[in-house]
Every structure is written in structure tokens, then in C-alpha cells.
Amino acid sequence: MFGFNFSIFHVSIGTAAMFAAIEPLFTYLLAVLVGQEAWRANRLLSILLALVGIVLVIFARETFGVTYWVSLLLVLLTPIIWAVNNIITKDIVTRHSPIVMTAVSFVLSSLVLAPALSPNYIPTVLHMGLSLWLALIYCILSTIFGFSIWYWSLRHLPPSTVAVSMYLIPVISVGAGRFFLNEPMPLMK
């Protein structure tokens, strides 16, 4: 997520989300490679057809320059990591519940991020206003809910089928970027 989070400072959220939508392709190719799914030309064709939107977004770029292209490359790291995660967790989630998987993800990611916290992190959190606490609670609950559904789906469906649900993210992100952040919504998006 570092690549994605960094990139949205230099490209719109809609563009980053569209570019990150390449994740189902990576998941499908990795799933075939490790034997979790059989090769099906029609599956690959449908995923590639959905990627046409990414090509259109790239050619409708908002700005020129190295920063834009570096940001897109950083965005590309996100779906690659997600695809690897899907393949690894497909086998793990058959042995553990989705809630356990979500809890482990929370704990491990917190431990990894802990060294990056500022020394005044705890006092800052303790003095947050009500609106920030509500936003934090919303983020935590929606993450637990979303990841639990994701892991449950990985338990019962092929990885590429679950990954294709990622195609909803650009649609929602472009709409939310327009509605909440007043980002432009050109025809190419």
C-alpha cells in the first residue's frame, strides 16, 4: 500500500485505482503458475478486456513528467503484492477462519509500522476529537468486515474470481474522488 498511498499525491485517486485494477491479471497468472487454477483462455480474455480502461487512463494522463510515471510504477507494486497475497492466503485460509486471518493481518501490519510512529503518537491519539475517533472506528470496522469477506471468498472461490471484484474499486474511487474531493472526471475515466 505504500506505493499506492505515495502515488495519490501525484496522480488522482481515480487514476491510481484504475491502474491498481491490474491485480486480477496478476492473481490469475500466479494462480495458474502455482496450480491453484487451470488455464482458461476465456478467463484471461475477460480480464484483459477489463484492462482496456487502464490503457485509456494512461493515455489520458493528467500531467507530464517523471513524477507521474514513477507514481504509476509505485501503484503497480500494489496489485503485484495483492496478487502474491491472494495466492499465499488461498491455502492458509482453508485452515484458519477469516476473522483469525484478519486479526493476524492487523497485528503483523501494526508491528511492521510501529517503528515508523512518531514519539508523540500516543498523546496525539489520546487527544483526538470525536470526529476523528468516529472516523478511526469506521476505518477499523470496515477493514475488518472487508478483509473477513475477502478471506471467506478466497476460501470458497478461485483466487481470480475473488480478484475480479477489484474492478469495482475504480468505479467507486472515481465517483468518490469526484463527490468528496471534487476531482475532475474526464470522459476517459
Side-chain angles (χ1 to χ4, degrees):
M1 288 302 290
F2 166 77
F4 187 88
N5 291 338
F6 174 79
S7 70
I8 62 174
F9 287 108
H10 304 287
V11 297
S12 71
I13 290 174
T15 297
M18 288 292 288
F19 205 80
I22 200 167
E23 186 260 340
L25 174 64
F26 291 141
T27 297
Y28 178 65
L29 294 175
L30 284 172
V32 169
L33 186 69
V34 300
Q36 288 182 354
E37 292 192 44
W39 175 261
R40 295 190 329 219
N42 62 341
R43 172 63 57 110
L44 181 62
L45 181 63
S46 65
I47 292 171
L48 289 174
L49 184 60
L51 293 178
V52 169
I54 291 172
V55 173
L56 293 175
V57 167
I58 289 171
F59 287 117
R61 59 185 182 222
E62 299 126 1
T63 184
F64 295 95
V66 174
T67 303
Y68 181 81
W69 294 104
V70 168
S71 296
L72 288 181
L73 288 175
L74 287 173
V75 169
L76 185 60
L77 290 176
T78 302
I80 291 170
I81 292 167
W82 286 341
V84 170
N85 179 62
N86 288 338
I87 301 308
I88 291 170
T89 57
K90 172 69 176 166
D91 292 329
I92 296 171
V93 80
T94 58
R95 297 186 306 271
H96 303 287
S97 78
I99 291 290
V100 168
M101 293 292 297
T102 303
V104 169
S105 295
F106 262 84
V107 170
L108 290 177
S109 61
S110 296
L111 291 174
V112 168
L113 290 175
L117 297 176
S118 70
N120 59 352
Y121 175 75
I122 299 293
T124 302
V125 170
L126 292 176
H127 292 95
M128 290 189 322
L130 178 62
S131 62
L132 288 177
W133 276 107
L134 292 174
L136 180 63
I137 291 168
Y138 170 78
C139 289
I140 291 170
L141 293 178
S142 63
T143 301
I144 291 169
F145 181 71
F147 272 105
S148 296
I149 290 172
W150 186 269
Y151 289 132
W152 182 89
S153 299
L154 273 175
R155 176 185 275 183
H156 299 286
L157 298 168
S160 67
T161 300
V162 177
V164 167
S165 70
M166 296 291 290
Y167 288 138
L168 292 173
I169 292 174
V171 175
I172 294 168
S173 296
V174 169
R178 176 70 181 142
F179 184 77
F180 293 111
L181 303 174
N182 203 27
E183 287 186 348
M185 194 160 76
L187 184 59
M188 293 295 275
K189 287 186 185 172

